[in-house]
């Protein structure tokens, strides 16, 4: 159902935003007005990189972030995201009386502008939501493959491209998630914010510009050799034919107009309205197999979450084709070990986490795909018998071999909690950094490349088929204790997501660290990376030389990562105690921040 403005507040917001756009000349293709003084000051105040703390005694680590300004604290509401302007947009919604879903939508919309290398309107998204009493639902937004897919495979000698028009193989469901969640907010959480108002900051930053983040500059520079080959990319992301510098103001007037259309006409405008027609025309023009009929069939799904017991609580995640079951399986295996008997950050600690990851990844690669097309035995994978068997197979003195395929990808995490105890844990993505690289016509929309995660092997459960949803690495989650939300968490990082979450969750739950401390501790990544094609165990160097030596002695092929490496993910987390007091942080490796009301 299309979300139309339904109140006087909606109509007023539409008029105000339209006046704003006309005043900026965004509708004519340029943007000249300055941002507010508050927004400019906030954008300029980037958080410093956290110092290595590997040498700190474990007992002293639990609360080392307690006096750090980057650890947000509040009893009235909290948000976290990888960009401070996005977090501020969510905070504004909470302060205006909005709920956690409304705040998350506002954050997601801003990130689609200010973090374009990791998320956007042309990507997918997921939510885990709960009220104060632990009534949890999930929203899964995965674009399906075109009804008529290209003839990839042995017959043509081709493969699924990872960039360019051939990678624009699936529809995009981020806007569908916002639309469905907003409807839920109105009917179930008494949401009062105007749909259109949730896009005001995103439209402002697209029209008037925002300072380019170090992350955006890094990933655009990293891909500099490829950029000229991406349809429509340079005209949007390389003003004057060059990569904008970090801190330089960057404008996206075409995207501002697309956001304005969605804000004015509702979420289904992206799939069935005039904007959808322009998107479909842009896709057809570059040679994508997607058509207007494919866009009109894109929908978000509301589902019951998967669950697994962990310590004295319960972890919840999304159903396949996401790897939510994989993170839960890892944690279910670790629940069979007495982690508190192992010093946090020791070789034993990293070893048992890595071995649990390997076992769960083997199951994931064997089974996880679209359950509309194949049977995915989630109950068996999360059964006590399977978790027990996997735990028994782990040898503390010897590492399993690991020659398996690594999946890349980039994402943004959004967390929000309001004063009524409602919570949202959310991820948005365009898959690879910069997605397919294709910008569609005059829409300013960068399309994702999630279809590249399909297999062409007929024996694979994830084999490409028309209308099928691809395997998805995204899996935001939630931890309930005594039936109520205690932790909201998620991260970017594709294959790294379950690995990062295993480290973050064990530090938050088993070692009782505050979110900031848990997020800045050294992390690992098993498998290939952009800079290292070996299937080795990457570990941040501040884990300590003795840990590297001990892990190598057990058979792990070790590769060092710099401390606070970008390859270690950008997780965020919010903790809610039994009295409703909240503490939260976003990874110091990112450009983001948690903010409390």
């Amino acid at each position: 159902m299309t979300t139309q403005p339904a109140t006087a507040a909606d109509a007023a917001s539409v008029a105000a935003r339209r006046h704003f756009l006309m005043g900026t000349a965004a509708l004519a293709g340029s943007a000249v007005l300055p941002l507010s003084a508050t927004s400019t000051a906030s954008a300029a105040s980037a958080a410093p990189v956290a110092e290595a703390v590997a040498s700190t005694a474990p007992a002293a680590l639990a609360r080392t972030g307690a006096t750090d300004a980057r650890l947000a604290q509040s009893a009235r509401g909290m948000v976290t995201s990888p960009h401070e302007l996005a977090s501020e947009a969510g905070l504004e919604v909470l302060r205006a009386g909005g709920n956690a879903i409304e705040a998350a939508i506002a954050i997601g919309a801003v990130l689609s502008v200010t973090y374009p290398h990791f998320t956007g309107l042309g990507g997918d998204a997921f939510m885990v939501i709960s009220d104060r009493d632990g009534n949890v639902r999930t929203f899964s937004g995965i674009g399906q493959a075109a009804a008529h897919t290209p003839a990839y495979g042995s017959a043509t000698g081709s493969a699924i491209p990872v960039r360019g028009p051939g990678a624009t193989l699936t529809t995009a469901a981020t806007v569908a998630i916002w639309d469905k969640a907003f409807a839920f907010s109105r009917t179930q959480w008494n949401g009062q914010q105007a749909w259109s108002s949730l896009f005001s900051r995103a439209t402002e930053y697209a029209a008037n510009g925002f300072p380019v983040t170090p992350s955006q500059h890094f990933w655009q520079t990293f891909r500099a050799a490829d950029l000229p080959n991406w349809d429509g990319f340079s005209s949007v992301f390389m003003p004057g034919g060059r990569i904008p510098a970090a801190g330089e103001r960057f404008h996206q007037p075409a995207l501002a107009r697309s956001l304005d259309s969605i804000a004015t006409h509702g979420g289904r405008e992206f799939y069935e309205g005039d904007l959808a027609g322009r998107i479909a025309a842009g896709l057809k023009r570059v040679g994508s197999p997607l058509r207007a009929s494919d866009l009109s069939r894109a929908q978000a799904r509301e589902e019951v979450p998967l669950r697994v017991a962990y310590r004295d609580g319960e972890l919840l995640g999304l159903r396949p084709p996401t790897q939510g079951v994989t993170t839960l399986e890892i944690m279910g295996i670790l629940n069979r070990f007495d982690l508190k008997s192992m010093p946090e950050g020791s070789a034993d600690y990293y070893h048992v986490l890595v071995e649990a990851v390997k076992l769960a990844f083997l199951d994931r690669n064997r089974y996880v795909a679209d359950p509309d097309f194949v049977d995915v035995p989630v109950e068996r994978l999360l059964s006590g018998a399977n978790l027990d068997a996997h735990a028994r197979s782990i040898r503390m003195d010897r590492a399993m071999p690991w020659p398996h395929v690594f999946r890349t990808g980039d994402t943004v995490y959004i967390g929000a909690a309001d004063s009524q105890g409602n919570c949202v844990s959310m991820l948005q993505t365009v898959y690879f950094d910069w997605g397919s690289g294709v910008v569609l016509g005059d829409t300013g929309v960068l399309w994702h490349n999630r279809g590249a995660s399909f297999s062409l092997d007929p024996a694979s459960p994830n084999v490409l088929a028309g209308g099928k949803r691809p395997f998805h690495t995204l899996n935001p989650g939630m931890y309930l204790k005594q039936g109520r939300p205690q932790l909201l968490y998620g991260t970017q990082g594709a294959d790294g997501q379950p690995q990062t979450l295993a480290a973050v969750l064990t530090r938050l739950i088993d070692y009782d660290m505050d979110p900031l401390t848990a997020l800045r501790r050294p992390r690992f990544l098993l498998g290939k990376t952009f800079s290292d094609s070996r299937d080795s165990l990457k570990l941040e160097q501040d884990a300590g030389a003795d840990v590297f030596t001990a892990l190598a002695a057990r058979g792990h092929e070790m590769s060092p990562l710099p401390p606070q490496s970008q390859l270690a993910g950008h997780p965020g987390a919010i903790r809610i105690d039994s009295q409703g007091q909240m503490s939260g942080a976003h990874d110091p490796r990112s450009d983001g921040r948690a903010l409390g009301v």
Side-chain angles (χ1 to χ4, degrees):
M1 181 179 70
T2 301
T3 310
Q4 297 287 356
T7 66
D10 282 292
S13 179
V14 169
R17 189 181 61 264
R18 179 66 64 181
H19 175 74
F20 166 80
L21 283 170
M22 293 300 292
T24 64
L27 297 176
S30 65
V32 295
L33 291 184
L35 295 174
S36 67
T38 301
S39 298
T40 304
S42 299
S45 57
V49 176
E51 295 181 358
V53 292
S55 60
T56 308
L61 282 170
R63 301 297 171 201
T64 56
T67 59
D68 192 310
R70 289 168 295 170
L71 180 69
Q73 303 194 54
S74 176
R76 296 180 294 165
M78 185 167 292
V79 296
T80 188
S81 86
H83 196 291
E84 190 163 352
L85 291 179
S87 295
E88 285 183 347
L91 195 66
E92 286 178 356
V93 172
L94 293 182
R95 285 175 171 162
N99 63 40
I101 286 176
E102 294 164 335
I105 293 170
I107 294 170
V110 170
L111 288 172
S112 295
V113 177
T114 62
Y115 241 52
H117 51 305
F118 284 176
T119 188
L121 303 183
D124 286 344
F126 305 83
M127 280 185 179
V128 181
I129 67 170
S130 178
D131 62 15
R132 178 190 301 274
D133 298 321
N135 296 307
V136 182
R137 302 294 293 178
T138 68
F139 296 133
S140 180
I142 303 177
Q144 83 284 1
H148 303 288
T149 59
Y152 298 124
S154 57
T156 62
S158 63
I160 299 175
V162 297
R163 303 284 193 184
T168 60
L169 183 58
T170 60
T171 60
T174 289
V175 179
I177 278 282
W178 297 342
D179 191 47
K180 193 170 191 69
F182 183 79
F184 182 95
S185 164
R186 279 282 173 97
T187 59
Q188 303 298 315
W189 288 3
N190 194 33
Q192 298 296 308
Q193 299 299 298
W195 164 262
S196 54
S197 71
L198 305 181
F199 295 86
S200 59
R201 285 297 183 188
T203 306
E204 175 187 352
Y205 297 137
N208 284 353
F210 61 93
V212 169
T213 62
S215 180
Q216 177 179 336
H217 178 75
F218 171 85
W219 286 106
Q220 194 166 354
T221 303
F222 189 84
R223 302 295 183 193
D226 301 325
L227 305 183
N229 302 318
W230 296 350
D231 295 78
F233 185 91
S234 296
S235 64
V236 173
F237 293 104
M238 299 182 68
R242 61 180 182 80
I243 296 171
E248 182 178 340
R249 190 167 298 281
F250 176 61
H251 308 88
Q252 299 175 80
L255 185 61
R257 296 191 292 272
S258 294
L259 286 163
D260 180 59
S261 294
I262 293 167
T264 302
H265 301 296
R268 294 309 297 177
E269 168 70 10
F270 191 83
Y271 303 99
E272 299 166 0
D274 176 71
L275 176 59
R278 291 189 288 119
I279 289 171
L283 287 163
K284 184 177 181 180
R285 189 177 301 115
V286 299
S288 168
L290 291 171
R291 295 294 179 263
S293 56
D294 295 310
L295 292 178
S296 68
R297 286 192 289 269
Q299 297 284 344
R301 301 189 185 194
E302 181 181 346
E303 297 174 322
V304 176
L306 296 176
R307 300 169 181 260
V308 73
Y310 192 79
R311 307 311 178 203
D312 54 352
E314 193 174 39
L315 291 161
L316 290 80
L318 286 136
R319 292 183 171 274
T322 79
Q323 63 177 345
V325 64
T326 306
T327 296
L328 296 183
E329 190 175 0
I330 292 167
M331 299 307 296
I333 295 169
L334 294 175
N335 197 40
R336 272 76 182 157
F337 290 83
D338 180 13
L339 291 187
K340 286 188 175 180
S341 69
M342 306 176 191
E344 185 278 330
S346 66
D348 280 349
Y349 170 78
Y350 287 115
H351 174 79
V352 73
L353 265 62
V354 171
E355 297 303 287
V357 165
K358 292 176 180 177
L359 292 163
F361 273 16
L362 291 173
D363 283 343
R364 181 198 70 179
N365 295 345
R366 187 177 299 124
Y367 297 115
V368 178
D370 187 348
D372 291 349
F373 287 75
V374 298
D375 177 49
V376 185
V378 291
E379 290 79 12
R380 183 172 67 78
L381 294 177
L382 297 179
S383 68
N386 187 57
L387 299 175
D388 288 345
H390 280 333
R392 287 194 299 269
S393 73
I394 293 177
R395 291 182 54 177
M396 292 302 294
D397 64 339
R398 178 58 46 190
M400 281 177 56
W402 190 250
H404 296 283
V405 174
F406 177 80
R407 304 169 197 262
T408 187
D410 284 297
T411 304
V412 294
Y413 177 70
I414 299 165
D418 61 38
S419 61
Q420 301 303 307
N422 301 312
C423 304
V424 174
S425 187
M426 182 180 185
L427 284 169
Q428 294 183 179
T429 182
V430 289
Y431 195 24
F432 285 25
D433 57 281
W434 303 111
S436 68
V438 175
V439 178
L440 301 175
D442 63 352
T443 68
V445 175
L446 175 74
W447 209 255
H448 67 160
N449 64 332
R450 182 60 62 171
S453 70
F454 278 120
S455 172
L456 295 179
D457 179 358
S460 169
N462 192 43
V463 66
L464 174 64
K468 187 175 183 178
R469 295 175 299 160
F471 167 81
H472 239 289
T473 51
L474 274 68
N475 64 123
M478 196 173 289
Y479 181 61
L480 304 186
K481 194 169 182 179
Q482 297 179 334
R484 292 188 170 189
Q486 187 190 63
L487 293 174
L488 316 179
Y489 56 85
T491 184
Q492 54 91 265
D495 263 9
Q497 288 190 26
Q499 306 182 57
T500 295
L501 293 179
V504 170
L505 287 171
T506 53
R507 286 162 172 160
L508 287 168
I509 300 170
D510 294 278
Y511 299 99
D512 196 31
M513 293 182 182
D514 64 71
L516 180 59
T517 303
L519 294 175
R520 66 185 177 190
R521 290 288 291 150
R523 293 199 295 268
F524 64 90
L525 180 64
L526 176 66
K528 298 180 178 69
T529 67
F530 297 119
S531 58
D532 188 340
S533 62
R534 294 173 296 165
D535 286 304
S536 56
L537 177 59
K538 281 75 174 173
L539 181 62
E540 290 182 304
Q541 287 175 307
D542 47 341
D546 56 335
V547 171
F548 273 81
T549 300
L551 289 171
R554 300 182 200 199
H556 295 281
E557 182 185 357
M558 302 299 298
S559 298
L561 292 175
Q564 303 294 294
S565 170
Q566 293 291 310
L567 296 175
H570 290 172
I574 295 175
R575 184 195 294 276
I576 308 168
D577 69 19
S578 59
Q579 303 303 310
Q581 181 68 31
M582 306 169 197
S583 59
H586 219 87
D587 199 301
R589 299 164 182 80
S590 77
D591 303 300
R593 190 165 183 180
L595 298 171
V597 175

